């Protein structure tokens, strides 16, 4: 089967050659490598043109800078293969990755195949990331909530291959204008519609840990935290919009509610009261609007209800009455119960140890 590998490129001249070498060195050679140069201001265009001149499997596409999501969408639009894969321009694949992906699609005919990745260097990955690097080995026939909310099968779209016919049929793409958490939106728009999803613990992708990585950029200070939260809230809004467009208003309602709180609540609690008010107002407006009712009516578990009650109480205060203090709107006991419920004792203890520097 022909595999279309989509490579979005921006400010990647340092590692682009290694990325392309890893693709050209695949043991499965029925490939088209669609490289979308997203207005990169460095030498990426020259490097790409040199490789394209030497190997006809490389297609070079130039476009003004519009972000990684649009670059990936451009690649999807130009793909002619049977299978879609995504590789970032500073990462690599293990030599047999495409052969393994091809074998899975030939023998099991999935719509979606998600595999593992490893970090380079391994010691640079924090414990919270290492836990998410590989799913277990399992096949889902249709959709179950565990696929989105329990398996270690997101984020990082680069470790997921799609049937091209599935992608076309379902209009799969990436959310434009979202430079962080776009992979989260991708999975919420993919897994619920897959007729068969194969998960594999095999690590086929090598994810380079580097200081320039958008995912791991420093999130210090109020302004940076607000930027991060704006992107995460935009992702939640996009997920709700996509599910509403697909008629999924009531789909996994309690799970989506709990995930949305998990995704934002710790960071919101680090902000001054006025900023917390603004972020929680935006979050609850999105969720209440999506569910068509107060989110408390959707919550099934007591720790979730307690956190929502605290958030409602904070929102009942006028924004101008909020001072510059950093007192958390959600009571520490309620938040602790919530995250113990969501993540379990071991993960919560690990986070505390990481915060005091005893665990990396």
């Amino acid at each position: 089967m022909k595999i279309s590998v989509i490579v979005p490129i921006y400010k990647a001249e340092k590692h682009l050659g290694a990325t392309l070498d890893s693709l050209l060195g695949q043991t499965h050679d029925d490939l088209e490598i669609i490289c979308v140069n997203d207005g990169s201001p460095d030498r990426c265009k020259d490097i790409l043109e040199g490789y394209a001149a030497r190997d006809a499997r490389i297609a070079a596409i130039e476009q003004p800078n519009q972000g990684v999501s649009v670059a990936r969408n451009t690649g999807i639009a130009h793909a002619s293969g049977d299978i879609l894969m995504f590789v970032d321009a500073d990462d690599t694949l293990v030599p047999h990755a495409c052969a393994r992906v091809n074998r899975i699609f030939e023998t099991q005919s999935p719509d979606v195949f998600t595999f593992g990745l490893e970090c380079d260097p391994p010691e640079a990955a924090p414990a919270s990331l290492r836990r998410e690097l590989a799913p277990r080995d399992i096949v889902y026939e249709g959709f179950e909530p565990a696929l989105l909310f329990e398996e270690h099968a997101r984020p990082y779209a680069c470790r997921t291959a799609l049937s091209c016919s599935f992608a076309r049929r379902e209009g799969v793409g990436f959310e434009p204008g979202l430079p962080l958490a776009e992979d989260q939106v991708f999975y919420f728009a993919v897994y619920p519609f897959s007729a068969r999803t194969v998960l594999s613990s095999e690590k086929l992708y090598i994810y380079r840990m580097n200081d320039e990585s958008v995912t791991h950029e420093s999130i210090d200070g109020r302004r940076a935290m607000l930027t991060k939260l704006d992107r995460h809230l935009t992702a939640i809004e996009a997920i709700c919009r996509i599910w509403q467009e697909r008629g999924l208003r009531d789909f996994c309602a309690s799970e989506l509610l709990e995930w949305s709180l998990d995704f934002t609540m710790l960071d919101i609690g680090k902000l001054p009261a006025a900023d917390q008010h603004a972020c929680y107002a935006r979050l609850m407006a999105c969720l209440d609007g999506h569910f068509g009712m107060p989110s408390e009516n959707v919550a099934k578990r007591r720790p979730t209800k307690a956190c929502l009650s605290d958030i409602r109480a904070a929102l009942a205060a006028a924004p101008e009455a909020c001072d510059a203090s950093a007192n958390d709107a959600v009571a520490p006991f309620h938040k602790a119960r919530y995250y113990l419920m969501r993540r379990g004792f071991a993960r919560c203890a690990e986070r505390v140890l990481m915060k005091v520097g005893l665990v990396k």
Side-chain angles (χ1 to χ4, degrees), residues 80-280:
S80 64
D82 305 296
I83 303 166
L84 290 176
M85 293 181 67
F86 306 96
V87 175
D88 288 344
D90 55 355
D91 298 336
T92 56
L93 296 176
V94 300
H96 65 281
C98 290
R100 179 62 175 153
V101 168
N102 180 69
R103 180 66 175 164
I104 290 294
F105 276 86
E106 283 188 337
T107 59
Q108 300 194 50
S109 301
D111 284 334
V112 181
F113 172 42
T114 295
F115 42 86
L117 60 79
E118 57 182 298
C119 292
D120 177 27
E123 62 273 11
S128 57
L129 174 59
R130 292 196 296 270
R131 187 185 303 106
E132 305 299 326
L133 295 183
R136 61 184 177 136
D137 299 307
I138 189 172
V139 177
Y140 279 86
E141 301 291 352
F143 176 79
E144 297 178 23
L147 180 55
L148 264 180
F149 301 105
E150 297 178 22
E151 302 287 359
H152 299 306
R154 59 171 178 80
Y156 308 112
C158 54
R159 59 175 175 155
T160 290
L162 306 174
S163 159
C164 200
S165 61
F166 165 76
R168 302 277 189 240
R169 183 177 72 246
E170 301 297 337
V172 172
F174 292 84
E175 186 71 11
L178 192 59
L180 185 69
E182 80 283 353
D183 286 2
Q184 297 282 12
V185 179
F186 169 80
Y187 282 110
F188 279 83
V190 166
Y191 284 148
F193 310 104
S194 172
R196 174 177 292 167
T197 301
V198 176
L199 305 183
S200 171
S201 60
E202 189 173 3
K203 295 182 178 180
L204 304 178
Y205 191 97
I206 302 174
Y207 179 78
R208 187 184 300 276
M209 305 288 292
N210 60 75
D211 293 338
E212 293 79 29
S213 171
V214 172
T215 306
H216 299 285
E217 66 180 277
S218 175
I219 303 294
D220 295 326
R222 170 179 172 271
R223 181 174 297 181
M225 183 61 74
L226 285 170
T227 298
K228 176 186 177 184
L229 279 165
D230 175 67
R231 294 168 178 176
H232 283 187
L233 290 167
T234 299
I236 294 170
E237 290 163 350
I239 291 166
C240 289
R241 187 196 74 245
I242 291 167
W243 279 16
Q244 286 185 36
E245 290 172 352
R246 301 297 299 271
L248 300 181
R249 179 186 289 271
D250 299 323
F251 186 70
C252 294
S254 62
E255 292 90 344
L256 177 62
L257 170 61
E258 289 190 355
W259 177 83
S260 299
L261 290 177
D262 193 332
F263 197 43
T264 55
M265 194 161 54
L266 284 176
D267 288 334
I268 294 176
K270 298 173 184 177
L271 293 169
D275 293 328
Q276 290 188 46
H277 190 287
C279 289
Y280 277 132

Side-chain angles (χ1 to χ4, degrees), residues 31-46:
L31 305 175
E32 63 173 359
I33 303 166
I34 304 173
C35 298
V36 183
N37 185 25
D38 190 40
S40 187
D42 54 13
R43 294 183 54 253
C44 284
K45 180 178 180 180
D46 295 336

